[in-house]
Amino acid sequence: MSQQVLAPAADQAQAIATVWQTMFWPNVVIYMAMLAALAWALWRRRAVVADAAVQARQERNWVRALVAWIVFIALVLTAYTAVSFVQDRHRLAHAPDALRVRITANQWWWQVDYLDPDPSRQVGTANELHLPLGRMTRIDLLSGDVIHSLWIPALNGKEDLIPGRSTQLALTPRAIGHYRGECAEFCGLQHAHMLLPVTVESPAAFAAWLDARRAPAATPASPSAVRGQQVFESGTCAMCHAIAGTSADSHAGPDLTHIASRPMLAAGALPNDRAHLAAWLVDPQAFKPGTKMPNPRLQPQEVSDLVDYLEGLR
Amino acid sequence: MSARDANVEAQLARTWADKPGLVGWLSTTDHKRVGRRYLVTAIVFFALAGLMALVMRTQLALPDNHLLGPDRYNQFFSMHGSVMMFLFAVPVMTAMGAYLVPLMLGARASSFPRLNAFGYWIYLFGGLTIFVAFALDAGPETGWTAYVPLSSSDFSAGHRTDIWSQMVNFTEVSALCVAAQVVTSFMVTRAPGMRLDRIPLFVWAQVVTAFMMMFAMPSVMLASQALQSDRQFGTHFFNPGEGGDPLLWQHLFWFFGHPEVYIIFIPALGMISSIVQTFARRRIFGHTAMVVAMLAIGFLSFGLWVHHMFATGLPPLGNSFYTIASMLIAIPSGVQIFCWIATLWLGRPRFATPLLFVLGFFALFVIGGLSGVMLASVPLDTQVHDSYFVVAHFHYVLIGGAVFPLIGGFYYWFPKFTGRLLSEGMGKLNFWLLFAGVNLTFFPMHWLGLAGMQRRIYTWPAGLGWEWANMAATVGSYIVGIGVLLFVANVVWSLRRGQVAGDNPWDAPELEWATSSPPPPWNFTEAPVVRSLTPLWSDTPIEWLRGLKSDKREMLLTSIAEARPTARWGCPDPSIWPFLSALTLTLQFIWTIFDPWGWVWASIPMAVAMTIWFWPKKSEPSME
């Protein structure tokens, strides 16, 4: 999973990397020149007896050099500002056919809704973001509680999600792959575990993935999974989570309709596999201290059934 | 010394003596005793906050480390930032000013000696409050910036944030007291002949800083009061559900927070100027340009707070304005760097520990300055903002730009403070340890930020390539720790065994070196007459203006531009009431954390204490 600012995989991150390249090397040269000037000032050969007239001339030369130095800094800053301004407009550019997504940040997970002019085709998921290659996705950013910030370093700079406000982020990915998204604004106890894994795929693969999201949850395939669904619907799980196609329809926590197909659990706190899922269900606070998910206090058999059920939700 | 002089000095010693015993200790208004306490207190807070940083670095040395849980870690980094910014960096700079400004001005005392003492006590009590709270597991938990709504009562229950916000009030009251004192000292207590163009750059730096405090501090006090009001009374300054706005907090906080950085940095510019001048053995090149540059930095620093908010979705055109304003700061900073290099070139440099720390300043601060220019760019800032790149940037700026000059200044003025020199051998080792440690700690963090590591996370996962850089940073931080320990050892050793300094061990040109080391309580027996920027380097010995009384606490007041003598002023006697008033204000601040009625009831003892403090005394000499 890539998360390098200087290995851009989208137009926006590329624009920013251009600004970096523009400013980095001149800055290195300026720094080295400053150190060289300092060394020269310290260790130059000096006349044993300083002549007053010579000193006065030296000082006049330094005044001229100061003026030149100020002009030089001003020119460098002007160039930096111009490049920064132009590239920022690239970063903020709109595309009329952009895919629309709404992301709502919560302590400590991401709700991701794919918008559509036809409301019946809108679909939600959580803690994963899939993007089509080569097409701009415009994301509306909202917050359900405190200020968060969405940062996918390989794709674009970060943008805050602020309660009471709506902000936007555009992503035009140019390379298929997996990218790390994370919360970059301190948001409380589990700021460290608030990841948003991003998958960039071909437009066809993306369309297939999105269609699969629109399908209701898979029906349980084994007796233990059937029991697991009963545990889910009749226990505490359904008080916070939704699984489309079942009676569980609460949105206080992440939607779990296709939980088994996601890369990670609990917004990046755990790998998504059977053993970790079972351990998480037994004691969420052990893996993500402070998470809003309470200990569901399940019997071992119930945990096993529930895991069978959830592992089938692809 | 003639017999008359000996008699005069004996009489001055009686006049300016503090009362004996504990009462005398608590009631002193001598700016040097107060300044020394300020310095020692600030350095203790610095050491404690530094220890917290070592614990955090230990936690972050390895991936998925669980030495500290998230709650503890959040308290650690919030304390580290709050203590370093509010209780170390600003107070230690004002402490140097409190001690040195009257000496550099050739004055017998500071302009508001009681207010100065009051400011110290408030600062001490504010610091103690937050450390006691931290020890009781009630330390701040929302970072030194305490963004709402995370710091609102919904998400930060209990009193942790209330205590933090009250600590802010303590330190800002204290800073405003010192600011008023410095500005007034600058205006009316300068030595005769110290015209505006003959004022040392250190004093200019302190004055610019004091004015900045007066404009910046009220903003954060307003913000913290609004926060407390939201938390205690259910007002809605920051609640978007009722028409408030979380961004209001950020505007108010950074309108203070960005100038704050320069409030820390500008006094360091003054220290560097004094050190460069003395060790280049030449008057500073471009004195006027330096003063203008400092005023420009002070002014510009109020126009760039939004560069902390480039990721909040503000209008792009407005952001562009703040890009330009932020970049402009590079011009006066570049002028300063240029003038120091020119001074060293034109002079005959002599290498000693203070100059070594100034050279370290060049090497570190310019890295931070150049990365700061990069942060001014909106698109680049959205990448590296709130990442470890920014952590690297501001530590280079604050350690390189303020702590290195401060330690250099400490080596430089220590003989004036104590009468003894610090050990040069230990000093040089001290420098190299700190220089290596700081670079090893913070340079890799630039890379970590570009590799996607965000700030303020209590743990990080393996497999992202962050391992080596985090380990290097942790090792570096331990080296810094050893360096600081060596500094403390040097101070302790030199206090007893250090070489005796004499009045002017460095052959320095400014007025603080014209009196004995350490100076007597009255600083100067007569008022020195100033005829140039470097009075102690003139060909003729310094002249003294006689006529100040020695049987009364009297000092000379001069006019604001030309520094012509205008009056003899009776300086207030020492008094216990500033201390007692500070206690009553502390009572009020702490009471109101738990119960808003504290505002009402605690104001009664405060009114009594302050009335007695300001009660006019017939025995006090009046203006003549």
Side-chain angles (χ1 to χ4, degrees):
Chain A
M1 201 159 17
S2 166
Q3 80 292 338
Q4 300 281 344
V5 169
L6 297 181
D11 289 353
Q12 292 77 14
Q14 180 59 53
I16 299 172
T18 304
V19 180
W20 168 270
Q21 302 296 353
T22 309
M23 296 173 83
F24 179 70
W25 291 110
N27 278 358
V28 170
V29 172
I30 291 170
Y31 181 67
M32 291 301 169
M34 188 279 299
L35 287 187
L38 182 63
W40 179 48
L42 290 170
W43 289 297
R44 77 185 178 98
R45 283 164 161 278
R46 288 176 165 81
V48 180
V49 185
D51 185 319
V54 173
Q55 280 191 341
R57 200 182 66 231
Q58 285 173 342
E59 189 152 345
R60 273 200 306 280
N61 287 339
W62 275 100
V63 172
R64 288 196 195 101
L66 175 59
V67 174
W69 172 237
I70 292 172
V71 172
F72 171 76
I73 304 178
L75 288 176
V76 170
L77 294 182
T78 308
Y80 283 178
T81 307
V83 171
S84 166
F85 184 88
V86 170
Q87 295 301 331
D88 199 40
R89 293 311 178 270
H90 283 309
R91 193 179 71 90
L92 298 170
H94 288 234
D97 65 332
L99 174 74
R100 300 299 299 265
V101 175
R102 183 177 62 221
I103 293 184
T104 311
N106 299 285
Q107 282 181 327
W108 291 276
W109 62 282
W110 308 90
Q111 182 180 324
V112 179
D113 294 299
Y114 285 82
L115 307 181
D116 197 289
D118 174 1
S120 71
R121 291 173 57 78
Q122 293 201 7
V123 65
T125 179
N127 298 331
E128 61 173 343
L129 179 65
H130 282 241
L131 300 172
L133 182 72
R135 179 181 171 197
M136 177 182 282
T137 301
R138 281 183 54 77
I139 307 176
D140 292 326
L141 301 167
L142 305 173
S143 168
D145 40 44
V146 302
I147 300 177
H148 303 269
S149 190
L150 176 60
W151 187 27
I152 310 162
L155 302 185
N156 197 348
K158 56 188 72 63
E159 191 72 30
D160 291 354
L161 303 91
I162 304 167
R165 284 174 177 259
S166 167
T167 50
Q168 276 80 37
L169 189 70
L171 304 171
T172 314
R174 295 291 174 193
I176 287 175
H178 296 280
Y179 303 98
R180 183 181 154 96
E182 57 202 25
C183 178
E185 178 68 63
F186 177 63
C187 56
L189 290 173
Q190 284 301 329
H191 170 53
H193 294 129
M194 189 167 163
L195 300 190
L196 183 67
V198 181
T199 305
V200 174
E201 52 201 356
S202 69
F206 172 76
W209 175 84
L210 194 59
D211 270 343
R213 292 317 95 181
R214 292 195 180 106
T219 44
S222 67
S224 65
V226 170
R227 289 197 302 275
Q229 181 174 359
Q230 283 167 356
V231 171
F232 194 95
E233 288 184 278
S234 60
T236 51
C237 313
M239 297 170 82
C240 296
H241 294 286
I243 293 179
T246 74
S247 67
D249 191 28
S250 171
H251 288 86
D255 182 300
L256 301 179
T257 307
H258 301 284
I259 171 91
S261 68
R262 291 181 196 157
M264 298 189 88
L265 291 175
L270 296 166
N272 190 0
D273 58 42
R274 211 185 149 81
H276 282 100
L277 180 58
W280 169 258
L281 290 173
V282 170
D283 188 2
Q285 298 293 333
F287 298 94
K288 198 168 173 178
T291 177
K292 310 276 171 179
M293 175 151 162
N295 186 334
R297 300 188 186 285
L298 300 169
Q299 301 301 319
Q301 185 59 45
E302 290 176 318
V303 172
S304 160
D305 292 342
L306 197 50
V307 170
D308 281 344
Y309 172 59
L310 292 172
E311 284 289 292
L313 300 181
R314 300 221 145 258
Chain B
M1 191 189 291
S2 68
R4 181 202 165 270
D5 284 348
N7 285 338
V8 168
E9 300 221 332
Q11 191 170 41
L12 278 167
R14 281 195 300 280
T15 309
W16 287 83
D18 282 319
K19 294 188 193 103
L22 182 65
V23 174
W25 197 81
L26 294 175
S27 56
T28 187
T29 52
D30 181 344
H31 71 96
K32 297 178 294 300
R33 291 186 83 180
V34 173
R36 259 197 333 255
R37 283 174 200 175
Y38 244 121
L39 269 175
V40 171
T41 313
I43 290 171
V44 169
F45 288 155
F46 168 76
L48 291 172
L51 283 176
M52 288 175 200
L54 292 188
V55 179
M56 289 192 288
R57 276 317 321 168
T58 309
Q59 159 85 355
L60 294 175
L62 297 169
D64 296 311
N65 199 358
H66 291 282
L67 174 74
L68 298 175
D71 180 56
R72 187 68 64 181
Y73 184 86
N74 291 352
Q75 284 189 62
F76 265 74
F77 86 72
S78 304
M79 272 298 275
H80 173 77
S82 303
V83 171
M84 285 297 192
M85 295 302 280
F86 290 108
L87 296 175
F88 165 67
V90 174
V92 83
M93 293 298 175
T94 50
M96 293 291 267
Y99 192 103
L100 289 168
V101 164
L103 287 168
M104 287 193 168
L105 296 178
R108 278 184 168 181
S110 66
S111 61
F112 293 117
R114 291 182 178 182
L115 186 68
N116 202 25
F118 174 77
Y120 169 73
W121 293 117
I122 287 296
Y123 158 66
L124 175 68
F125 297 149
L128 290 178
T129 304
I130 195 116
F131 271 100
V132 168
F134 177 71
L136 298 175
D137 198 27
E141 60 183 354
T142 58
W144 86 281
T145 51
Y147 275 12
V148 289
L150 190 63
S151 59
S152 69
S153 47
D154 285 350
F155 300 99
S156 174
H159 286 300
R160 287 173 169 183
T161 300
D162 300 311
I163 295 166
W164 174 86
S165 137
Q166 215 53 301
M167 182 276 293
V168 171
N169 290 341
F170 272 110
T171 51
E172 308 315 347
V173 167
S174 147
L176 287 173
C177 294
V178 180
Q181 183 267 105
V182 166
V183 168
T184 314
S185 293
F186 158 82
M187 286 180 171
V188 298
T189 71
R190 302 202 307 272
M194 189 184 275
R195 301 184 322 216
L196 286 179
D197 58 344
R198 292 175 185 162
I199 298 171
L201 287 172
F202 180 92
V203 176
W204 274 115
Q206 288 284 339
V207 170
V208 173
T209 306
F211 273 111
M212 288 174 70
M213 284 179 181
M214 291 181 194
F215 288 101
M217 302 294 181
S219 178
V220 73
M221 291 180 77
L222 183 70
S224 67
Q225 283 308 307
L227 177 64
Q228 254 173 321
S229 170
D230 272 13
R231 291 175 60 89
Q232 283 193 338
F233 311 126
T235 52
H236 297 296
F237 289 104
F238 307 122
N239 177 3
E242 299 289 342
D245 192 339
L247 281 194
L248 174 62
W249 168 269
Q250 296 188 22
H251 282 294
L252 288 172
F253 186 86
W254 288 117
F255 186 78
F256 144 83
H258 202 85
E260 164 97 339
V261 178
Y262 293 93
I263 286 170
I264 294 164
F265 174 55
I266 290 180
L269 300 178
M271 295 174 195
I272 297 164
S273 298
S274 284
I275 293 170
V276 165
Q277 174 164 270
T278 296
F279 291 94
R281 291 180 275 194
R282 186 198 187 280
R283 149 183 76 73
I284 208 97
F285 169 82
H287 183 266
T288 311
M290 295 289 264
V291 174
V292 172
M294 277 196 275
L295 291 170
I297 292 176
F299 183 76
L300 284 173
S301 71
F302 283 92
L304 33 92
W305 78 94
V306 172
H307 74 213
H308 297 269
M309 300 165 65
F310 281 161
T312 57
L314 295 173
L317 193 64
N319 284 346
S320 300
F321 167 79
Y322 288 97
T323 293
I324 295 168
S326 308
M327 292 225 182
L328 274 180
I329 281 270
I331 292 179
S333 306
V335 167
Q336 302 251 352
I337 301 272
F338 184 95
C339 289
W340 291 317
I341 291 181
T343 308
L344 289 168
W345 193 94
L346 291 163
R348 288 172 297 125
R350 173 169 45 128
F351 291 92
T353 307
L355 186 64
L356 215 49
F357 274 96
V358 167
L359 300 180
F361 152 85
F362 281 103
L364 296 175
F365 172 75
V366 176
I367 291 180
L370 290 169
S371 62
V373 169
M374 300 175 97
L375 285 166
S377 156
V378 175
L380 204 46
D381 181 76
T382 62
Q383 276 288 23
V384 291
H385 174 71
D386 271 331
S387 79
Y388 263 83
F389 187 92
V390 163
V391 178
H393 159 73
F394 67 70
H395 281 95
Y396 266 92
V397 172
L398 289 171
I399 296 180
V403 176
F404 267 63
L406 176 76
I407 300 178
F410 202 84
Y411 273 88
Y412 179 60
W413 281 294
F414 188 80
K416 186 51 61 182
F417 298 158
T418 65
R420 287 176 189 272
L421 289 152
L422 283 163
S423 153
E424 275 289 302
M426 271 198 264
K428 292 200 165 110
L429 183 59
N430 185 194
F431 167 78
W432 286 110
L433 276 174
L434 287 177
F435 187 74
V438 167
N439 279 306
L440 187 59
T441 308
F442 296 108
F443 202 79
M445 289 186 188
H446 290 110
W447 181 85
L448 273 176
L450 294 172
M453 182 163 168
Q454 74 273 48
R455 270 176 92 179
R456 295 176 165 179
I457 49 173
Y458 75 102
T459 187
W460 49 275
L464 296 170
W466 297 347
E467 284 82 356
W468 69 269
N470 274 301
M471 184 49 83
T474 302
V475 172
S477 70
Y478 292 159
I479 297 176
V480 173
I482 296 169
V484 172
L485 214 57
L486 186 69
F487 172 72
V488 174
N490 195 354
V491 170
V492 172
W493 184 85
S494 302
L495 274 176
R496 292 159 190 276
R497 304 268 167 85
Q499 191 190 329
V500 175
D503 291 0
N504 190 359
W506 309 114
D507 189 24
E510 289 164 349
L511 278 185
E512 75 272 26
W513 304 101
T515 182
S516 60
S517 304
W522 59 93
N523 290 355
F524 297 94
T525 304
E526 314 288 355
V529 179
V530 174
R531 299 195 192 285
S532 77
L533 254 175
T534 50
L536 302 194
W537 281 350
S538 68
D539 298 332
T540 52
I542 202 154
E543 290 174 66
W544 301 89
L545 186 72
R546 292 178 178 270
L548 284 178
K549 286 182 184 157
S550 54
D551 58 343
K552 284 179 179 168
R553 290 183 172 239
E554 215 175 56
M555 56 191 281
L556 187 67
L557 301 189
T558 51
S559 64
I560 185 163
E562 298 287 322
R564 293 207 181 87
T566 52
R568 286 178 294 149
W569 177 55
C571 187
D573 291 327
S575 159
I576 189 101
W577 289 99
F579 169 74
L580 295 176
S581 299
L583 274 185
T584 59
L585 184 59
T586 304
L587 173 74
Q588 183 177 54
F589 277 173
I590 293 178
W591 192 337
T592 48
I593 291 171
F594 302 98
D595 174 13
W597 280 101
W599 291 119
V600 178
W601 300 124
S603 63
I604 296 169
M606 187 156 59
V608 172
M610 290 203 163
T611 305
I612 301 176
W613 169 359
F614 289 107
W615 200 260
K617 289 198 192 75
K618 280 183 184 155
S619 62
E620 262 183 28
S622 55
M623 194 95 82
E624 290 180 37

